[in-house]
Amino acid sequence: MHVIAAPTSGGAVLGTLGAGGIALALTLLLVLGVRGRGRIKFGAGKAGVCAFIAGTSWVAAGKIWENAERVVAQGLTGLGVGSNGPFGEVGIGAAALILLIIMLAAPLNAVRAAVVALLAALVWPAAGDGTLWAVPVQLGAAGLMMFGS
């Protein structure tokens, strides 16, 4: 007797996606949602959440996705973050706080909210694991891990 069975998906709900697959899918969702010409149209809040989770997936995926992290790190260095730059001594925690203030107080449309949230997803982990900024990133990463690696 022969048993026919589907190949295993490793226990993941959607099959094996991989970190790069999740990053690619969330980036596509973000772009289509922000453009808003199809069935999905993101406002500032949904665009920000999707962008933050997409940015968190970029960090986890590595490879080509690391380029965004490098660009942000170079930009922060250029602004003097982490050294005694043009604004005086500005630490990475201050940059993280500034991004939060922009998220909460600035009048953002969907595109601007997505850009700020992507920046936060790349800057907040740089503040370190023991900081308040690590909590949203760790929650986003834990949520992504539920869908499979």
Side-chain angles (χ1 to χ4, degrees):
M1 178 191 309
H2 296 282
V3 176
I4 299 175
T8 180
S9 66
V13 174
L14 299 176
T16 303
L17 298 175
I22 292 172
L24 188 60
L26 288 174
T27 302
L28 179 64
L29 175 64
L30 177 64
V31 169
L32 294 175
V34 168
R35 286 187 62 202
R37 294 191 182 127
R39 293 183 180 166
I40 297 174
K41 183 174 183 172
F42 288 160
K46 289 180 183 176
V49 169
C50 184
F52 187 81
I53 296 171
T56 301
S57 71
W58 294 0
V59 173
K63 304 268 183 193
I64 194 169
W65 304 102
E66 289 176 343
N67 291 330
E69 222 174 340
R70 289 184 190 131
V71 169
V72 170
Q74 289 174 351
L76 291 173
T77 301
L79 290 172
V81 174
S83 66
N84 196 3
F87 297 107
E89 178 129 7
V90 177
I92 193 72
L97 180 60
I98 288 168
L99 287 169
L100 178 65
I101 291 169
I102 292 170
M103 289 171 142
L104 296 175
L108 302 175
N109 61 18
V111 173
R112 290 180 184 148
V115 169
V116 172
L118 281 171
L119 287 172
L122 301 172
V123 169
W124 290 0
D129 284 338
T131 65
L132 174 68
W133 309 111
V135 175
V137 175
Q138 291 169 350
L139 287 173
L144 288 171
M145 289 186 342
M146 288 190 304
F147 287 101
S149 55

